[in-house]
Amino acid sequence: MNYLTYHDLEKENKHGFTAGEESLTEESLVVREMVIPGMLGYPDMHIRHIHLTFREQQYLIISMTDYELDETKRLEICAGAVKFLKERSEIN
């Protein structure tokens, strides 16, 4: 399975998608879904997994945000991932 990482972290000024360099395998370590408590002025970090199929390929989107995702935001992330993947395939 392929994977993408989505960041929306205000304090770190990290926003957007990055593609994984390799595919996930059974031996791959993936951060599980959780809320990591904030420290030293940083807010809580919410890690969530979203599954997406794009051009018959399965993708795991690992989102890292400083807020909990609602259904609307999950759909926005999926739409952004499709746009990201389309742009990436046009370059290659």
Side-chain angles (χ1 to χ4, degrees), residues 30-33 47-51 60-63 74:
V30 176
V31 177
R32 66 183 171 101
E33 289 192 318
I47 299 174
R48 298 293 178 236
H49 297 169
I50 303 169
H51 295 272
L60 172 64
I61 304 169
I62 303 166
S63 72
R74 286 178 186 267

Side-chain angles (χ1 to χ4, degrees), residues 73-84:
K73 187 62 182 180
R74 286 178 186 267
L75 292 173
E76 286 176 17
I77 291 170
C78 287
V82 167
K83 181 179 178 187
F84 176 80

Side-chain angles (χ1 to χ4, degrees), residues 1-5 19-31 49-51 57-62:
M1 178 183 295
N2 299 306
Y3 71 99
L4 301 173
T5 305
E21 297 299 319
E22 301 175 12
S23 293
L24 296 175
T25 66
E26 290 181 12
E27 290 81 35
S28 297
L29 295 176
V30 176
V31 177
H49 297 169
I50 303 169
H51 295 272
Q57 299 257 351
Q58 296 291 316
Y59 288 86
L60 172 64
I61 304 169
I62 303 166

Side-chain angles (χ1 to χ4, degrees), residues 50-68:
I50 303 169
H51 295 272
L52 173 72
T53 302
F54 175 74
R55 294 188 178 159
E56 299 181 20
Q57 299 257 351
Q58 296 291 316
Y59 288 86
L60 172 64
I61 304 169
I62 303 166
S63 72
M64 299 178 187
T65 61
D66 49 19
Y67 51 86
E68 187 60 69

